[in-house]
Amino acid sequence: GTNFYEELGRMGQRYGERVKNSLEDIFHMNEALNETNHGIERSASFHVLDFYTPKSTRRVLEYMAIDYVMFNLPIPEWAEEILAKDDTIGYL
């Protein structure tokens, strides 16, 4: 799906009350969420530019490459933005 929190909600419904409660404890799903798939309590993707360098971003993508290939996932926009700032190598 396109919305992480909706997917978590469906998972909780499918696998029962224990899973639903665990997901709520971990992801705070009942708290207010905005409509762009970011938990307001986290908004982590807005902060990656403050912490990741082109080198660390490449390393993360290398580590996660099998997931991107197996699940046909696009490279995240934040990663492309960081990698575009690195003029030492071509990346895609």
Side-chain angles (χ1 to χ4, degrees):
T2 59
N3 187 298
F4 179 70
Y5 291 94
E6 286 177 9
E7 292 294 320
L8 289 177
R10 281 195 284 275
M11 188 185 309
Q13 289 174 350
R14 180 175 183 175
Y15 295 107
E17 200 65 27
R18 287 183 62 193
V19 171
K20 184 177 177 181
N21 291 339
S22 294
L23 292 172
E24 169 55 36
D25 289 344
I26 294 167
F27 294 102
H28 311 286
M29 293 167 37
N30 288 333
E31 294 181 16
L33 301 173
N34 65 30
E35 295 180 10
T36 58
N37 212 25
H38 302 285
I40 290 174
E41 73 280 357
R42 300 282 192 282
S43 299
S45 64
F46 296 120
H47 299 289
V48 295
L49 300 176
D50 296 334
F51 299 104
Y52 279 84
T53 65
K55 183 177 179 179
S56 63
T57 301
R58 276 194 308 279
R59 186 76 173 129
V60 168
L61 292 175
E62 289 169 1
Y63 182 76
M64 301 299 296
I66 191 68
D67 291 335
Y68 284 99
V69 172
M70 293 294 294
F71 298 113
N72 196 30
L73 298 171
I75 301 297
E77 288 181 31
W78 61 264
E80 289 188 18
E81 184 178 338
I82 291 170
L83 293 172
K85 294 177 183 177
D86 185 6
D87 58 2
T88 61
I89 62 167
Y91 69 94
L92 292 174

